[in-house]
Amino acid sequence: MRNLQGRLDLCSVNTATLGHREPLSVTIDRIAAAGFGGIAPWRHKVENANVAELARQIRAAGLNVTGYCRSTYLPAASRTQFAANIDANKAALRDAATLGARCFVMVVGGLPEGSRDLDGARAQVIEGIGELLETARDCGVPLALEPLHPMYAADRAVINTLAHALDICAELDPGRTGFLGVAVDVYHCWWDPALRASIARAGQEARLLAFHVCDWLRDTRDLLLDRGMMGDGVVDLAGMRGNVERAGYNGLIEVEIFSKENWWRRDPGEVLRICADRLQTVC
Ligand code: ZN
């Protein structure tokens, strides 16, 4: 397991952690100046700006793009909408390539409005990923399936465990081309009794594309926007990073904190300083 002391170059900041309050160009400079080695930007900030210019700025700042967030949800109530969702993801994959992203983060979507067809939604997800895989290869950007905690199955993602994501990878990419894998986010996966085995399997199958950290607060007040700072909650972060790295993960450790009432209200410079400290002391 790598020692993160003095190694912020092995750490990345997902820009959501700073609450999307400033232009991305400002955030890029902040993250680089704080000494981090990577950044994970979000589409709504990139798509409202000049992608090529942002890509140049990120490269000039010496930052790796650890992931591009995130996919348009795939399941749809109509074939027309499904096709539109695929097209939106293809466009995003091209931007991910321009940014030099190490992966395109796939939060695959929940049930279409009014639907009770969970199996159908999962079938659409498999079909959609299959279609996007070709574009991912053309663009040179792997798809990272991010299983979400099952509490989000209705509205955000019908892939809910790491094993589930790995099964889909095996089905769609049996040759292990390197263009389909998983993003392991501690917030979504920490509770899973099969997690250790699934992480080992992900390593054996060469699927580990990203590792996201934050913490699960025991007295969490909001199931989307009250993620904790590393060390403030119940997750054995060092244990999880050890498992992921023993499985072969050698990419950056990405901080991703959605925290409307706490961290998003604090000074961005302070948030980055505390992230840096916790990464080196509790992760
Ligand atoms: Zn994540």
Side-chain angles (χ1 to χ4, degrees):
M1 184 170 164
R2 298 171 295 183
N3 183 350
L4 295 184
Q5 285 289 337
R7 294 300 309 271
L8 282 184
D9 60 306
L10 294 177
C11 302
S12 173
V13 178
N14 184 302
T15 60
T17 304
L18 301 180
H20 300 302
R21 289 171 289 173
E22 297 175 311
L24 183 52
S25 57
V26 173
T27 303
I28 292 165
D29 286 342
R30 274 190 190 284
I31 290 171
F36 291 92
I39 187 169
W42 281 68
R43 276 169 71 191
H44 66 281
K45 288 288 194 178
V46 170
E47 289 170 358
N48 286 328
N50 182 322
V51 184
E53 206 168 287
L54 287 171
R56 275 194 295 277
Q57 188 190 350
I58 289 170
R59 266 196 297 277
L63 295 170
N64 290 293
V65 176
T66 49
Y68 186 38
C69 298
R70 59 167 166 67
S71 57
T72 297
Y73 297 153
L74 292 167
S78 69
R79 290 307 292 180
T80 311
Q81 186 58 50
F82 180 76
N85 295 347
I86 296 291
D87 286 346
N89 282 313
K90 287 181 176 173
L93 271 164
R94 289 190 283 274
D95 287 342
T98 303
L99 291 168
R102 292 196 173 177
C103 64
F104 180 51
V105 177
M106 298 280 307
V107 173
V108 297
L111 297 173
E113 191 75 31
S115 170
R116 294 188 175 86
D117 185 5
L118 181 57
D119 289 344
R122 287 182 169 147
Q124 287 192 54
V125 163
I126 289 172
E127 181 188 349
I129 295 165
E131 271 193 49
L132 292 173
L133 193 48
E134 202 175 312
T135 309
R137 277 193 209 103
D138 291 344
C139 292
V141 178
L143 305 176
L145 307 185
E146 182 161 342
L148 260 53
H149 191 288
M151 68 187 171
Y152 301 116
D155 62 343
R156 290 177 184 271
V158 293
I159 297 180
N160 303 107
T161 64
L162 187 51
H164 186 187
L166 292 170
D167 287 346
I168 293 171
C169 291
E171 178 179 342
L172 295 175
D173 180 44
R176 301 179 188 173
T177 58
F179 287 104
L180 187 58
V182 295
V184 177
D185 186 319
V186 303
Y187 194 74
H188 297 301
C189 296
W190 72 277
W191 58 273
D192 182 353
L195 184 61
R196 189 187 293 255
S198 293
I199 288 173
R201 175 183 165 200
Q204 280 154 18
E205 297 177 359
R207 303 291 187 192
L208 290 168
L209 295 174
F211 181 52
H212 301 166
V213 297
C214 63
D215 214 333
W216 183 285
L217 301 174
R218 175 178 286 275
D219 297 317
T220 193
R221 290 162 298 177
D222 183 298
L223 296 176
L224 181 65
L225 301 177
D226 191 28
R227 291 186 176 207
M229 176 62 66
M230 297 78 74
D232 289 348
V234 300
V235 180
D236 174 14
L237 291 162
M240 265 188 79
R241 182 165 72 86
N243 289 336
V244 167
E245 293 190 2
R246 271 190 296 280
Y249 182 72
N250 62 7
L252 276 68
I253 314 304
E254 179 185 317
V255 179
E256 183 182 37
I257 300 173
F258 309 144
S259 171
K260 193 164 174 240
E261 303 295 332
N262 186 2
W263 299 101
W264 288 359
R265 293 186 176 196
R266 300 206 195 186
D267 172 69
E270 180 198 1
V271 175
L272 289 177
R273 280 193 298 279
I274 295 172
C275 284
D277 174 61
R278 299 293 179 86
L279 280 159
Q280 294 177 84
T281 53
V282 301
C283 292

